[in-house]
Amino acid sequence: MVEQTVVIKMKDGDPLLVSKGRLTADSRELRRQIDELNYDVVEMDDFETETVSLFLSVLDDKTLKKIEKPMFREIHKMGVVFEVNWLKEDCRSWLVEKIESAKEDQDKVFTFDECWFIVKKWEEWEMMHKLLSALYPKDNSTFISDYMSNIDKLEFGQIDLMLDLGGSDTKTFLTIIQQNLTRLTTLNENLKYMLHNINLALCSEVNEELYLVVMKKMTELPDISNTDLRFLTRLMIDTAKSVRYYRDRKNERTIELYGGTEFEQLLGNCKTLSDVTNAVTEGHLKSMFLVIEVLLNIFLKSTPAIEDMQLFMTTLDRLHDRQMQKVSLHYVNLVKEMLKCSNLEQSKLLITLLDDMKNNAKLCKTTENIIIKQDENQRGQFVFKHPLSGTCTKSGSKCGFLLRFRPLSSRQGVWQMTIELYTRQEAYKNTEIHLHDEVSAHDMFWYRTCTGIFEGSPVTAVGRKKWWKSWLPNVTDWKTEEFYVAYNVADYRVAKRK
């Protein structure tokens, strides 16, 4: 029996005859066109001839061969368009390798452009989130400066991502604005968009001199309109008000970040999901980290109905306070992985609820918390440089803070404690760190981690209370805990809080 062939229409050169089986074996879209719609000609002339040849080759070999960077976007697009799932996944695995190895600015540019293309083309954010997570710990100042050297060429979404990636680096972004102004005669839409979305109050507080230079240059643009002058005046007035907010917060420093008695009362009062939303409304719950802690307690004792969970997420989204500390993606993932090892049926529902939180940027965001691990050699000591502290002139020690763990009482054999921030400078005399006035307990969430063994593999549990003892009864060999502080820096980032 003669094998059926299909004509492949190419962008350049003669059409190709390719066996039907080769095309339809792994491609759902080609099966639809050839088997269901009876096409005997498939148009691939939207793709470069070299890419089509590679695509047909990998369909035959069932494996993605070594590809060069210029080829990636097209071959990945063919995998998505023709629904060859293994090819799509292999391409994205290749891109992840490039993301993880990106050190030079040119490598960062390539991976960012490809991840942005995926976002724009298919509204899929997974690869971009992987890239941002990989870049956040690195120094990206030169990459951001080069990428934004001509802000006119960027889309609003790209500007947002650059601001997000910039952390608290006010100097870099003020310099970017200054450099863009050298070739402008008036404010363009992209620059105004950036000014709307940059935290100018932080820029003013940390780099006041450069901030004033930049604002003066904008008002002196030769063709600036009266409308734009009024816009800049309003911007400067709002910035001055926000600077006062920072200074007021410094004067309102708090020292207690964990009250054992108050926390136990909160757990006792929150028996249902509606109790949680009430606690958020009334200001008793000001951190999504703490919301998850309360949920672990609620689900452990009773399983909420699906309808109640849906209403809870809708209400929480509506009640969300801009000043509420968002939970980090890493923390949510740790809780999820812990619950996957639980033999309790309600763990599946709680995982579903956590997935909903992960997908809500009002509740969960990687960039708004700095996760600080306790010093391995000194209990309660954390190294941390607050964004508002600017250039530190103190030598001989690092920026950081000390926490005091103070026992309160024993309840049913379990010790309660309060955790406080040491603010007296005398406490830091014989340590390797010093404290800045900007550091305050109200921006901190303290938690512990512990590792155990589940079915021969390690599992990490996370939280304030030792929920894992109840959630994971089959886990054994628990090891020494580690302590962390999630420091809320949402108000101290270049990207304006939304």
Side-chain angles (χ1 to χ4, degrees), residues 240-275:
K241 291 178 180 178
S242 297
V243 168
R244 286 199 295 272
Y245 161 77
Y246 281 133
R247 293 172 184 174
D248 289 342
R249 286 197 73 177
K250 185 188 297 186
N251 295 330
E252 295 170 0
R253 168 194 268 173
T254 58
I255 64 170
E256 185 175 287
L257 65 150
Y258 180 90
T261 303
E262 293 83 353
F263 181 56
E264 292 298 330
Q265 289 174 349
L266 181 64
L267 293 179
N269 292 335
C270 292
K271 296 182 173 62
T272 66
L273 295 180
S274 61
D275 291 337

Side-chain angles (χ1 to χ4, degrees), residues 128-142:
M128 180 61 78
H129 288 156
K130 287 181 183 295
L131 173 63
L132 296 178
S133 295
L135 292 181
Y136 285 138
K138 300 177 181 179
D139 179 4
N140 300 299
S141 55
T142 57

Side-chain angles (χ1 to χ4, degrees), residues 171 173-179 181-182 187 191 195 200 203-204 207-221 232 236:
K171 183 177 180 181
F173 286 93
L174 286 172
T175 304
I176 287 170
I177 296 174
Q178 188 178 32
Q179 291 173 344
L181 288 173
T182 59
L187 295 181
L191 186 54
L195 291 170
L200 287 174
C203 295
S204 173
N207 287 284
E208 184 178 17
E209 184 176 345
L210 183 55
Y211 163 78
L212 293 174
V213 168
V214 169
M215 297 306 291
K216 185 173 184 292
K217 281 193 173 185
M218 283 192 287
T219 60
E220 294 174 347
L221 288 170
L232 290 175
M236 287 187 280

Side-chain angles (χ1 to χ4, degrees), residues 28 150 172 210 259 269 329 363 400-401 414:
R28 186 163 58 182
N150 187 347
T172 291
L210 183 55
N269 292 335
L329 180 63
L363 309 176
F401 56 86
V414 179

Side-chain angles (χ1 to χ4, degrees), residues 301-494:
K301 295 180 178 179
S302 62
T303 306
I306 298 292
E307 301 78 27
D308 292 338
M309 289 171 54
Q310 293 170 341
L311 179 62
F312 170 74
M313 286 302 300
T314 302
T315 307
L316 199 61
D317 180 84
R318 187 174 66 250
L319 293 177
H320 170 69
D321 181 358
R322 289 179 58 224
Q323 301 306 316
M324 191 172 185
Q325 181 182 18
K326 298 176 185 177
V327 65
S328 68
L329 180 63
H330 176 68
Y331 188 89
V332 178
N333 285 334
L334 282 176
V335 177
K336 278 185 55 184
E337 291 305 311
M338 176 186 83
L339 292 173
K340 287 178 181 178
C341 300
S342 176
N343 59 359
L344 303 184
E345 189 63 29
Q346 60 265 41
S347 62
K348 298 176 183 177
L349 284 177
L350 184 48
I351 287 173
T352 301
L353 192 61
L354 292 172
D355 279 331
D356 290 340
M357 286 185 182
K358 278 178 59 176
N359 295 325
N360 189 326
K362 294 180 182 178
L363 309 176
C364 176
K365 199 165 185 180
T366 299
T367 56
E368 293 197 2
N369 294 286
I370 295 177
I371 307 301
I372 317 159
K373 184 179 177 181
Q374 178 180 271
D375 191 298
E376 294 181 358
N377 301 316
Q378 181 63 50
R379 186 170 189 258
Q381 179 170 296
F382 296 80
V383 175
F384 167 68
K385 187 177 186 302
H386 195 284
L388 280 183
S389 61
T391 302
C392 181
T393 58
K394 296 182 180 180
S395 59
S397 61
K398 300 176 180 178
C399 305
F401 56 86
L402 295 172
L403 299 181
R404 175 172 64 173
F405 299 79
R406 187 159 58 88
L408 294 177
S409 63
S410 178
R411 180 182 178 186
Q412 296 180 344
V414 179
W415 277 98
Q416 293 184 7
M417 66 177 177
T418 185
I419 303 176
E420 296 176 347
L421 169 68
Y422 271 114
T423 56
R424 293 181 297 104
Q425 292 298 333
E426 308 89 74
Y428 293 82
K429 283 185 178 179
N430 297 317
T431 70
E432 298 177 351
I433 61 174
H434 58 265
L435 179 70
H436 286 276
D437 292 341
E438 293 80 9
V439 177
S440 180
H442 66 251
D443 286 322
M444 301 181 190
F445 176 83
W446 171 91
Y447 65 93
R448 57 162 65 91
T449 63
C450 192
T451 58
I453 301 299
F454 175 71
E455 296 181 351
S457 300
V459 58
T460 299
V462 62
R464 277 186 170 175
K465 288 181 70 68
K466 296 184 178 180
W467 300 115
W468 46 86
K469 299 291 184 181
S470 301
W471 278 101
L472 308 173
N474 295 330
V475 175
T476 59
D477 299 328
W478 292 106
K479 292 186 179 180
T480 307
E481 299 165 330
E482 292 180 335
F483 300 96
Y484 295 84
V485 165
Y487 202 102
N488 182 12
V489 293
D491 286 329
Y492 315 113
R493 293 177 49 77
V494 173

